[in-house]
Amino acid sequence: MTASLPGPTVLVLDGDPLLRLGRLTGRARIEHVDASTLAARLPYADVLLVWDIASRAVRDAWPGEGPRPRWVHIASAGVDHVLCPELAASDTVVTNARGVFEQPVAEYVAALVLALAKDLPRTWDLQREREWRHREALRVAGTRACVVGSGPIGRTIARTLKALEVTTSIVGRVPRTGIHGPADLDRLMARADWVIAAAPLTEQTYGMFDARRFGVMQPSARFINVGRGQLVVEEALAEALTKRWIAGAALDVFRQEPLGPDSPLWRVPDLLVSPHMSGDTVGCPDELGAQFLALYERWAAGKPLLNVVDKKRGYVPGH
């Protein structure tokens, strides 16, 4: 802590790798905290940067009354880990990392679609077993995808899949030009070869992919989740795959992370598991740091912040 320095106090809930904020030297007091020290320092901070995006410490530590940060920035697209009722009810501005993860996540989804269509996981398994087994793969062009989530990530996924000549429909919270509403979801899922979850976690989306929804899907269809783990009833997905209600699935996010070694999901047939990495690319921490610094410049200059989250909805609205 450098209490003698002038300027606002910026509290950083540390994660790995550590964030470098050298550009703020001499302009702000930078304090690094963890889950055990966050609560004691929150009342003295002007800004809170949530760099450890998996931590739920903010929800536990946020003060109900009294002094608190005027601005909270989380270095992720999802904000459910920080949005407790007290923070949502306060006048504190919350921003997220919108603009950083859209293309990487879309590329990852495209890679999953191609890998599942071409049966690449099984090819890799057979190679390790030194077994030559010829199969016929699926043609991706001409298939249908239903993307659930009409934010920037969902729209970028749809645009990327269209480059593969996949006919794509997007389902959002409310219908509008080019976007279907929730009333169309079951109908679109029933026709889709690929159902892709990219929605934020809200009261309306929690557990939306349950046994009934997996029962709507075609037996030849595949499900991909790059949104939030709590969108999916994992037991229902495991049953749908085990009973061959659907042909396959890929999960990059989970109800509990990291996924423990004893989780039954590791052994579910035709389920591809990845460790919440769809948006993470080489150089991503530097890009996230640069984004925060650009936002800080706006905040320090008294300009309106970008990426402001609607705390009642749980995401950045308007697009």
Side-chain angles (χ1 to χ4, degrees):
M1 184 171 63
T2 54
S4 61
L5 290 177
T9 296
V10 177
L11 208 60
V12 182
L13 180 58
D14 274 333
D16 185 29
L18 293 178
L19 175 63
R20 293 172 293 180
L21 293 175
R23 276 174 48 188
L24 299 185
T25 301
R27 302 173 55 198
R29 292 184 289 270
I30 309 299
E31 296 188 26
H32 295 269
V33 295
D34 57 22
S36 66
T37 56
L38 175 64
R41 299 307 305 161
L42 270 175
Y44 304 97
D46 298 289
V47 179
L48 171 63
L49 168 58
V50 183
W51 192 245
D52 182 357
I53 62 172
S55 173
R56 301 181 69 86
V58 176
R59 294 179 66 95
D60 298 330
W62 190 261
E65 299 291 341
R68 54 183 173 262
R70 292 175 282 159
W71 168 34
V72 172
H73 178 75
I74 180 168
S76 71
V79 297
D80 50 279
H81 280 173
V82 303
L83 270 186
C84 58
E86 293 81 8
L87 174 53
S90 73
D91 58 0
T92 296
V93 176
V94 177
T95 58
N96 73 352
R98 181 185 183 130
V100 174
F101 297 108
E102 286 85 340
Q103 192 59 43
V105 172
E107 292 174 3
Y108 199 86
V109 169
L112 289 173
V113 167
L114 290 168
L116 294 173
K118 305 307 178 184
D119 203 21
L120 295 184
R122 190 164 304 172
T123 296
W124 181 245
D125 289 340
L126 292 170
Q127 178 183 338
R128 287 182 295 182
E129 296 168 8
R130 302 183 184 184
E131 181 177 347
W132 182 281
R133 189 189 304 174
H134 181 270
R135 290 104 63 216
E136 293 180 342
L138 297 175
R139 185 191 295 264
V140 171
T143 59
R144 295 176 180 268
C146 174
V147 179
V148 184
S150 60
I153 290 177
R155 297 198 308 275
T156 306
I157 290 171
R159 185 170 62 249
T160 303
L161 292 180
K162 286 178 183 177
L164 297 175
E165 299 186 31
V166 177
T167 301
T168 307
S169 300
I170 305 175
V171 178
R173 187 179 66 89
V174 293
R176 55 195 187 274
T177 303
I179 307 293
H180 295 268
D184 293 331
L185 178 57
D186 287 357
R187 175 178 62 83
L188 293 170
M189 286 183 63
R191 300 171 56 194
D193 301 289
W194 312 97
V195 175
I196 299 155
L201 180 61
T202 66
E203 291 182 2
Q204 291 72 35
T205 62
Y206 188 95
M208 67 183 300
F209 295 102
D210 55 12
R212 187 188 70 77
R213 285 260 160 74
F214 291 124
V216 165
M217 294 173 62
Q218 301 181 80
S220 59
R222 290 165 171 83
F223 175 79
I224 296 171
N225 186 15
V226 289
R228 308 300 286 174
Q230 293 85 353
L231 302 178
V232 177
V233 179
E234 293 172 347
E235 296 81 3
L237 176 60
E239 182 180 18
L241 289 167
T242 301
K243 294 184 176 180
R244 304 296 298 167
W245 294 347
I246 62 175
L251 298 179
D252 186 57
V253 287
F254 301 87
R255 191 167 53 201
Q256 296 290 334
E257 296 184 6
L259 196 64
D262 297 329
S263 171
L265 291 175
W266 293 110
R267 299 181 296 277
V268 173
D270 298 304
L271 174 62
L272 183 61
V273 169
S274 60
H276 202 151
M277 58 181 286
S278 62
D280 296 327
T281 55
V282 175
C284 183
D286 292 336
E287 189 174 356
L288 289 168
Q291 182 188 55
F292 171 75
L293 289 169
L295 287 172
Y296 183 88
E297 296 295 346
R298 295 183 65 90
W299 180 82
K303 297 179 180 179
L305 284 167
L306 307 176
N307 295 1
V308 175
V309 173
D310 183 322
K311 293 183 289 183
K312 292 183 179 179
R313 297 183 184 181
Y315 54 88
V316 179
H319 298 279

